[in-house]
Amino acid sequence: MRRRRVEHRRRAVVVPAAIVRSSCELREVRIQHVRVRVAEPWHTARVSFDPDAYEVLEESQRLGFLGERDVAEVIEHARAFVGALTDVSGVVVDLGSGGGVRGLGIAHDRPDLRVILVDRRAKRTDFLERAVRRLRWNDRVSVLCADASALRSRIDDVSAVVARGFGPPREALSFGAGIVRSGGRIVISEPPSGDRWAVDAFVDLGVVRVDDGSGQVSIFARTGA
């Protein structure tokens, strides 16, 4: 087993590298009467998250699909989308799924929903298809390689669309409004600070904002037919 050296007060103890995880919280253990702090997997330390699903996201990060943020932090942010879908049922489309944390996180926490992961990049969707098979979620999660502009003719009766903000503020919202059914919900992630949603940016899209602007995501409801 590959080992990693952990220093403590000029003494060194050897801790298995499998224990020291990049996505973790720290706990104290004693090894041969020397107190050290080693890594504990985040999915057991902070919140319940399926170990296989967690490993899928770690693989996604290794492949460069999730960026460099800690996987635990990425999952935590994705759960803001779950909170915005509390009273939603039916089909949820994850627009621009990328590494899958948003859509797979929703599928993990809300097994009652049908989730469609959409990305126009084949490398991402190939990975997501393998991930869904590995997790045995095929009966409720599907993957679609397509551009957002082509979705209206390919899927219908969508209860909610989730997406990260991309391009000008109204771009993601416009795509979502074109997919979701009347009365459906559109949830878009917000930048770390500031509010980019001036009323005149979306009034002509047939949507209204239903959140108070204080969270990590912005929530809209489609009002048009």
Side-chain angles (χ1 to χ4, degrees), residues 197-209:
W197 301 105
V199 174
D200 59 3
F202 57 84
V203 66
D204 61 321
L205 297 178
V207 299
V208 294
R209 189 171 181 178

Side-chain angles (χ1 to χ4, degrees), residues 21-27 39-50 54 69-80 108-109 216:
R21 303 279 296 276
S22 60
S23 301
C24 64
E25 290 225 344
L26 296 176
R27 60 183 172 87
E40 183 174 272
W42 181 82
H43 58 262
T44 58
R46 287 181 59 180
V47 70
S48 175
F49 202 80
D50 181 81
Y54 193 92
R69 286 181 62 191
D70 189 270
V71 173
E73 294 179 8
V74 175
I75 293 173
E76 184 176 6
H77 181 269
R79 280 186 158 150
H108 176 278
D109 288 0
Q216 293 178 296

Side-chain angles (χ1 to χ4, degrees), residues 9-27:
R9 294 182 181 177
R10 299 181 180 177
R11 293 184 60 188
V13 295
V14 178
V15 179
I19 296 177
V20 182
R21 303 279 296 276
S22 60
S23 301
C24 64
E25 290 225 344
L26 296 176
R27 60 183 172 87

